[in-house]
Amino acid sequence: MKILLRGMTILPMKGETVIEKGEIAVQDGKIMTVGSMGTAPVDFEPDEIIEAAGMVATPGLVNTHTHAAMVLLRGYADDMMLMPWLTEKIWPIEGRLTKDDVYWGSLLACAEMIHSGTTTFADMYFFMNETAQAVKESGMRACLSRGLIGAAPNGEDSLNENIQFIRDWNNQAEGRITCMLGPHAPYTCPPEYLKKVMQAADELGVGLHIHVAESRTEDHDIKKQYGASPVAHLETIGLFERPVLAAHCVHLDEEDINILVKRNVGIAHCPQSNMKLASGIAPVAKLLNAGARVSIGTDGASSNNDLDMIEETRTASLLQKVVEEDPTVLPAHRAAMMTTIGGARALRLEDQIGTLEPEKQADIVLWDWQAAHLNPPHDPFAHLVYAAKGSDAHTVIINGQIVMRDRKVLTLDENEVIKQAKRCAHRLVEGTNNN
Ligand SMILES: [Zn+2]
């Protein structure tokens, strides 16, 4: 399929370049040309022309840490500390999850993400075959891992399940799905278990997705048990000697930051989840200044409570200004880069996505720039980060396929998805003492 988008402002996320009255040609799932009107070859014959005057084109947003199917628990357990929230509310419900729940929950999450301009997400959860199926059907791009609790009785079985999942799904769905192993966290996976996970990752040639240094309790407990911070502990056992995506990284000292930079660890900063669970504030400005691969994630919708990356990016920028007491920290352009090419780099997908340039996969969002809250149109980077809303996403293209046009998702029957997800959510919480 050949598509020509024309007339819009383009933010390619290559430096601070802004192309007014631009044009993007898409062919066979990839971007062919990007530039001013008239850049596409004269013999380019599009199957579809999208007239996009009054819009802004950006690369699709990249959500580097979530648990998609947790949308089923949106608003189920709020205003609690992390550990009681997990042990009293989330884990008991997750013990009742079925494949059917994860399938419909993942589809609901995909619909929400497409509506708010996210084209790629990194997930860690259970019943990953169902999430992969939802990704395949929705047209999204994802980096998927089965969550592994090494200390649980089924630790070995879930590792084998994750290995089989990778064999079945890595590079499937026209290459939109890539896989990782998902050891949950250093406090749920003992070193012996992590070593098995590392060995499997190396044999399969994939990376790891793990929660690291999320709460003060974790920092305290790991130091007490192993005599080192969570990051230093994982460094000691050799975890970072392969591609790692580390979610949160809130409680870090100088040495931890040095390790994360030296090892090129992809960091998923999840400010709203950290704020809501009162986990703390990740030292993002310091990490960026040190050269770390920092990206942005929403975390699951039960600790956020949505998957809106525009809102998350704004929060990331504002929160750093407050904690550093410096309004020049994490300016709009840098935050916009974090949520696009920064996400791609954290997932080791920067050769494929994250910018709008020839030969990259065509993951493109057209934002409707005509609403009152986006006028007058001074600085498009400032508008994207400080004024836009996820719902300003108007048209979304992933891998060269139009998955949303004029705010209507084309790949899913959204009414059916919402109906089924509600059915699953009601069954899950039925009979529980939710007060
Ligand atoms: Zn998480």
Side-chain angles (χ1 to χ4, degrees):
M1 170 121 179
K2 295 181 191 171
I3 309 169
L4 186 68
L5 302 94
R6 64 184 183 194
M8 66 286 178
T9 299
I10 304 174
L11 307 181
M13 298 299 168
K14 286 187 56 93
E16 296 187 37
T17 306
V18 177
I19 303 169
E20 304 286 357
K21 291 193 173 59
E23 183 179 271
I24 302 174
V26 172
Q27 182 171 7
D28 299 331
K30 289 190 175 184
I31 295 171
M32 189 183 184
T33 55
V34 180
S36 307
M37 294 268 268
T39 308
V42 280
D43 59 353
F44 183 71
E45 291 180 5
D47 302 300
E48 176 158 357
I49 296 175
I50 299 177
E51 301 290 356
M55 303 213 196
V56 166
T58 69
L61 309 185
V62 182
N63 182 348
T64 56
H65 181 68
T66 190
H67 313 280
M70 285 185 98
V71 290
L72 296 179
L73 303 180
R74 187 192 333 259
Y76 164 68
D78 298 288
D79 311 322
M80 296 178 72
M81 292 296 291
L82 174 65
M83 288 322 291
W85 175 75
L86 282 174
T87 56
E88 293 165 25
K89 293 289 186 179
I90 300 301
W91 288 345
I93 286 279
E94 286 182 339
R96 305 167 61 165
L97 274 176
T98 66
K99 289 180 176 184
D100 189 49
D101 299 328
V102 172
Y103 172 70
W104 290 108
S106 299
L107 279 179
L108 183 67
C110 287
E112 182 183 353
M113 286 191 272
I114 291 169
H115 269 295
S116 46
T118 293
T119 55
T120 300
F121 68 102
D123 203 87
M124 177 204 289
Y125 213 52
F126 322 108
F127 301 116
M128 264 298 126
N129 288 317
E130 278 57 41
T131 301
Q133 186 60 34
V135 169
K136 186 178 173 182
E137 290 172 21
S138 67
M140 285 199 77
R141 189 181 304 283
C143 184
L144 305 176
S145 55
R146 198 245 189 253
L148 306 171
I149 311 279
N154 69 346
E156 295 294 323
D157 290 347
S158 33
L159 175 56
N160 289 331
E161 219 181 271
N162 200 159
I163 291 168
Q164 190 57 46
F165 171 73
I166 292 167
R167 292 198 174 116
D168 292 343
W169 284 99
N170 202 21
N171 296 317
Q172 294 301 302
E174 302 90 43
R176 288 183 284 112
I177 295 178
T178 49
C179 300
M180 285 180 157
L181 283 147
H184 173 261
Y187 63 92
T188 51
C189 295
E192 304 68 46
Y193 186 80
L194 284 175
K195 283 177 185 161
K196 286 184 201 164
V197 175
M198 285 152 53
Q199 192 188 346
D202 296 346
E203 283 168 15
L204 293 159
V206 300
L208 305 175
H209 184 177
I210 184 168
H211 297 86
V212 180
E214 179 174 2
S215 69
R216 202 173 292 286
T217 309
E218 172 189 345
D219 183 59
H220 175 266
D221 291 353
I222 295 288
K223 278 178 177 159
K224 199 170 154 199
Q225 196 170 358
Y226 302 108
S229 70
V231 169
H233 163 62
L234 295 174
E235 169 71 354
T236 304
I237 64 172
L239 190 98
F240 298 129
E241 289 164 22
R242 56 200 54 73
V244 172
L245 173 63
H248 302 300
C249 296
V250 172
H251 297 277
L252 306 177
D253 60 24
E254 293 271 309
E255 180 54 24
D256 296 333
I257 292 176
N258 291 339
I259 292 168
L260 294 169
V261 172
K262 185 178 78 183
R263 295 297 191 181
N264 256 322
V265 174
I267 297 164
H269 171 46
C270 306
Q272 293 198 348
S273 172
N274 297 156
M275 289 163 72
K276 188 153 180 280
L277 293 165
S279 301
I281 303 174
V284 169
K286 292 185 179 70
L287 283 162
L288 285 170
N289 287 339
R293 291 186 179 224
V294 192
S295 62
I296 300 175
T298 56
D299 208 349
S302 54
S303 63
N304 187 299
N305 288 356
D306 61 34
L307 306 176
D308 184 337
M309 283 293 289
I310 289 287
E311 197 182 286
E312 201 71 30
T313 305
R314 180 179 308 150
T315 306
S317 173
L318 298 182
L319 187 58
Q320 286 305 300
K321 296 177 198 305
V322 171
V323 73
E324 297 288 331
E325 295 188 35
D326 179 356
T328 69
V329 164
L330 205 43
H333 169 254
R334 200 159 190 194
M337 298 284 277
M338 262 173 80
T339 203
T340 51
I341 184 64
R345 291 183 72 230
L347 301 182
R348 282 10 189 226
L349 292 175
E350 66 266 39
D351 293 340
Q352 293 182 45
I353 57 166
T355 57
L356 298 178
E357 57 185 312
E359 288 307 309
K360 286 220 177 170
Q361 300 300 321
D363 290 9
I364 306 166
V365 179
L366 288 175
W367 304 90
D368 185 351
W369 228 244
Q370 295 175 90
H373 63 273
L374 294 171
N375 278 289
H378 289 304
D379 175 356
F381 289 105
H383 275 16
L384 186 69
V385 175
Y386 299 135
K389 301 179 188 313
S391 54
D392 293 321
H394 178 279
T395 292
V396 175
I397 297 172
I398 305 175
N399 223 34
Q401 182 190 9
I402 302 172
V403 298
M404 183 169 83
R405 188 201 310 266
D406 201 4
R407 294 186 172 86
K408 179 168 175 19
V409 178
L410 305 177
T411 46
L412 304 171
D413 177 348
E414 219 174 320
N415 289 334
E416 180 67 10
V417 170
I418 291 171
K419 188 176 130 195
Q420 295 291 348
K422 279 162 90 172
R423 174 183 61 78
C424 294
H426 284 144
R427 203 206 81 249
L428 279 171
V429 302
E430 222 169 24
T432 58
N433 179 22
N434 185 33
N435 48 35

